[in-house]
Amino acid sequence: MAATRNRKRSAPEQDDATTGGVKKRLRLGSIYDYRKLTVLGEGRDGVVFKAEHLRTGDMVAIKWVRAAADQRAFIREVGCLATCRGHRNIVVVRDVVEDASTGDMFIVTDFVGGRTLRLDLWMAHPDPEERARSVMRDLVAAAGALHAAGVMHRDIKPDNILVVNGGGLKLCDFGSATPVKPPGKPYEESRVGTLLYTSPEQLVDSEFYDPAVDMWALGCIMAEILTGGPLFDDSSEERMLKEMADMRHRLESTGTCKLFDELPELSAAGREVLAGMLAFNPDERMTAAEALDHRWFTGKPERRS
């Protein structure tokens, strides 16, 4: 199941820059300014490892993108990260370096800890709703910053969320991220990211979507925290689509579904946020700004129109 859950689709490149232009524009430093320590993880495009800057002694995390990978996708990833620089819930890009002898390139970010949310996602907690609220507050804030900056992540999942030493969360791995296009402009591929967190509109191969896809992924994570397991069975795209259709039918015909039946102790405010992020119609899906202003996060009474 773990291997299936993390199945990821690559994002096609949308930048026409040449590899040489990428390197010239970035003015890449050298990977030999850093000393590799331990491997933190391995993804589709390369390896992430902990390293030490030889001059300052700073601990960093470095994503190694092999020369054989799409170099234009690399510049897009760096650009999306840089656009969102400075938000406390988004990993900070510190440097971009290369190995001149191999052509490999590297993204250097702050080292915030070696653990992802996946490792403790289903740990027992005396107040599951309060834990979900704490986690989701950080994640929705990160999504809100991305979307305000005109960026979609397109692969939000527990494996791409770092648990910060000392508390808090940071969104990382922007390999599938892309600038948001104007309404009506299609994306080159609909199914980008990881199947289990893919929105309904992407699963039906729509190339017209928007940042609402990130909110759907956040709804899946919230459900996972509250129930202790994934929202859907991702054994196949067809199976997921059937489960989504069944869930939508029950919600529209009875006002409830299996997910909410499993959460009898979830507060009314919590249900509103969860249902809002998991709205099947992306135009009706709760935005990050709306979620952060909701009484489930603010503790304020519900606004009256």
Side-chain angles (χ1 to χ4, degrees):
M1 175 65 75
T4 306
R5 180 179 300 127
N6 295 322
R7 191 163 63 246
K8 179 174 178 178
R9 304 173 187 84
S10 60
E13 185 44 48
Q14 299 167 14
D15 187 335
D16 293 329
T18 63
T19 300
V22 167
K23 292 187 177 183
K24 182 177 180 180
R25 185 158 67 247
L26 286 178
R27 297 179 182 177
L28 303 183
S30 173
I31 188 59
Y32 296 106
D33 292 336
Y34 298 87
R35 179 168 65 92
K36 179 180 176 181
L37 299 176
T38 57
V39 173
L40 298 174
E42 186 166 359
R44 169 175 50 85
D45 293 329
V47 177
V48 178
F49 54 88
K50 181 180 178 181
E52 177 186 12
H53 191 278
L54 293 176
R55 181 174 59 83
T56 66
D58 290 346
M59 293 296 116
V60 297
I62 299 181
K63 181 177 180 179
W64 172 18
V65 181
R66 299 182 178 91
D70 190 332
Q71 305 300 303
R72 294 171 298 176
F74 176 88
I75 187 63
R76 186 184 61 193
E77 179 175 358
V78 172
C80 288
L81 267 170
T83 298
C84 305
R85 185 184 180 93
H87 192 274
R88 67 182 184 87
N89 298 122
I90 298 173
V91 71
V92 176
V93 58
R94 296 176 54 139
D95 202 358
V96 180
V97 299
E98 68 172 328
D99 184 333
S101 65
T102 65
D104 293 351
M105 296 194 290
F106 305 80
I107 300 174
V108 183
T109 63
D110 284 341
F111 177 75
V112 300
R115 191 166 96 249
T116 70
L117 184 62
R118 170 68 66 198
L119 296 178
D120 58 1
L121 188 66
W122 304 334
M123 291 175 60
H125 192 279
D127 188 342
E129 181 169 355
E130 186 54 41
R131 178 170 183 268
R133 185 177 5 243
S134 175
V135 169
M136 297 310 300
R137 183 180 284 112
D138 280 1
L139 299 185
V140 174
L146 286 180
H147 300 165
V151 172
M152 268 191 294
H153 190 280
R154 298 195 299 182
D155 195 24
I156 297 179
K157 59 182 179 180
D159 313 76
N160 288 340
I161 299 162
L162 299 174
V163 179
V164 181
N165 291 334
L169 302 170
K170 286 185 183 288
L171 186 61
C172 67
D173 195 344
F174 279 53
S176 295
T178 186
V180 176
K181 292 188 175 186
K185 294 288 187 180
Y187 292 88
E188 282 71 11
E189 188 175 85
S190 60
R191 302 186 185 186
V192 177
T194 303
L195 180 60
L196 189 61
Y197 305 93
T198 301
S199 67
E201 58 268 30
Q202 291 172 291
L203 277 179
V204 296
D205 285 330
S206 173
E207 295 176 351
F208 298 89
Y209 53 87
D210 60 28
V213 301
D214 287 343
M215 299 309 297
W216 176 272
L218 291 179
C220 292
I221 293 173
M222 180 174 170
E224 205 165 345
I225 295 170
L226 291 167
T227 64
L231 180 57
F232 298 108
D233 178 357
D234 68 338
S235 58
S236 70
E237 294 171 3
E238 292 75 18
R239 176 69 179 270
M240 275 189 67
L241 281 169
K242 181 180 184 304
E243 292 184 5
M244 286 181 180
D246 290 345
M247 180 177 171
R248 182 172 190 172
H249 174 73
R250 281 201 57 189
L251 281 170
E252 293 177 348
S253 60
T254 69
T256 187
C257 64
K258 179 182 178 183
L259 171 61
F260 293 112
D261 292 344
E262 293 176 353
L263 300 170
E265 297 181 1
L266 182 62
S267 68
R271 286 172 179 263
E272 290 168 8
V273 171
L274 183 57
M277 291 194 292
L278 291 177
F280 285 89
N281 184 342
D283 294 332
E284 298 174 358
R285 200 168 299 152
M286 186 176 281
T287 67
E290 290 168 345
L292 288 174
D293 195 43
H294 192 277
R295 61 194 176 104
W296 192 59
F297 287 117
T298 66
K300 299 177 182 177
E302 185 177 7
R303 294 179 178 178
R304 302 295 180 183
S305 56

